[in-house]
Amino acid sequence: MSELLEYQLTLYPDPLLRKEAEPVEEFGEELERFVQGMFATMEKSQGVGLAAPQVGRRLRVLVLNATGKPEDALVLVNPEILERSGPQTLFDEGCLSFPGIFAEVRRPDRCRVKAFDARGLPIEARYEGFQSRIIQHEFDHLEGVLLVDRMSPADKLRNKAALDELVERYRAGRPASVRSR
Ligand code: CO
C-alpha cells in the first residue's frame, strides 16, 4: 500500500477549480490507478470526498467515503444527478480546496445518481443524508461551483480573513497545500 500515488491539492482560487470538467472516455488501468491516488490523497488530507479538479485534472471523477470504512468507498465516474429530493437540510461543509474554512450549506437530503465505476460498469442508485450531501458537494466541483458560491453572506464575512489569506498565498505562489486539519 505504500506505493499509492498521492496528488497535490488544488486550492482556491486556482482557476482550474472554475472550469467545467470533461467526461472520462477511457476506462481501464490508468483510470483505476488515478482513482486509487485520489482515495490516498483524500484519506491523507482527512477528507470525506474529492473531485478530480481538486487534484489538477479536469475529469468527471469523484470519490467519497462517508464513514471511513473500506466498504463505504464510492467512485462515481461521469456522474449525473437525475433527481434531488427530500427536505432541505443545513450542514456545515468543509472542502479540501478551502483548508480551515467551513460554511453552512442548504441542500436537498436525497439524490438519485447515474454514473460508472472505475471499470466502466454502470451504477444507478439513490443516496441520502451525509453520503448524498458529499455527492452533491463533489458534483458541484465538476461544474466549477465552489463552497464559496454556496456560502451565506454571513458565512462569507465570517470566513473573510481565511479566504483573503488563500487568495494572497495563491498570488504569492505559495499555496497552503496539503495542510491537514
Ligand atoms: Co470541495
Side-chain angles (χ1 to χ4, degrees):
M1 294 295 278
S2 59
E3 290 302 308
L4 279 182
L5 276 174
E6 277 168 22
Y7 300 106
Q8 180 137 4
L9 290 170
T10 306
L11 299 183
Y12 177 81
D14 193 312
L16 189 105
L17 294 171
R18 288 300 188 186
K19 302 216 164 96
E20 202 181 323
E22 306 279 351
V24 168
E25 283 173 5
E26 212 173 309
F27 292 84
E29 246 176 70
E30 200 186 321
L31 180 66
E32 288 183 50
R33 259 202 309 278
F34 175 58
V35 162
Q36 283 178 6
M38 284 182 70
F39 273 115
T41 307
M42 179 184 92
E43 281 155 21
K44 187 182 179 193
S45 317
Q46 295 173 289
V48 291
L50 188 67
Q54 293 181 277
V55 291
R57 298 281 298 273
R58 276 181 69 187
L59 282 176
R60 301 187 80 82
V61 178
L62 53 91
V63 302
L64 61 137
N65 190 329
T67 66
K69 296 179 193 157
E71 65 266 31
D72 290 325
L74 181 63
V75 183
L76 298 173
V77 178
N78 297 346
E80 288 172 62
I81 297 186
L82 302 173
E83 189 189 349
R84 301 177 202 237
S85 61
Q88 299 276 330
T89 57
L90 265 181
F91 188 84
D92 217 18
E93 291 188 9
C95 177
L96 293 178
S97 295
F98 291 82
I101 293 176
F102 293 86
E104 282 204 319
V105 178
R106 187 180 300 276
R107 299 186 192 270
D109 186 60
R110 295 192 281 274
C111 63
R112 189 158 66 88
V113 175
K114 198 175 137 181
F116 296 90
D117 71 10
R119 291 179 199 159
L121 298 172
I123 300 171
E124 192 175 328
R126 292 167 194 276
Y127 301 95
E128 60 179 23
F130 192 38
Q131 206 176 23
S132 162
R133 173 160 297 264
I134 301 168
I135 291 169
Q136 293 180 66
H137 174 109
E138 302 311 333
F139 184 83
D140 273 353
H141 278 294
L142 305 183
E143 305 289 299
V145 174
L146 300 174
L147 185 61
V148 70
D149 308 325
R150 302 275 188 203
M151 275 182 200
S152 67
D155 272 342
K156 227 181 227 176
L157 205 59
R158 196 169 54 76
N159 285 301
K160 189 177 184 308
L163 286 166
D164 287 350
E165 192 192 328
L166 283 176
V167 171
E168 198 45 55
R169 282 176 180 268
Y170 181 78
R171 285 201 187 123
R174 44 185 180 88
S177 72
V178 247
R179 189 170 77 188
S180 59
R181 48 184 168 83

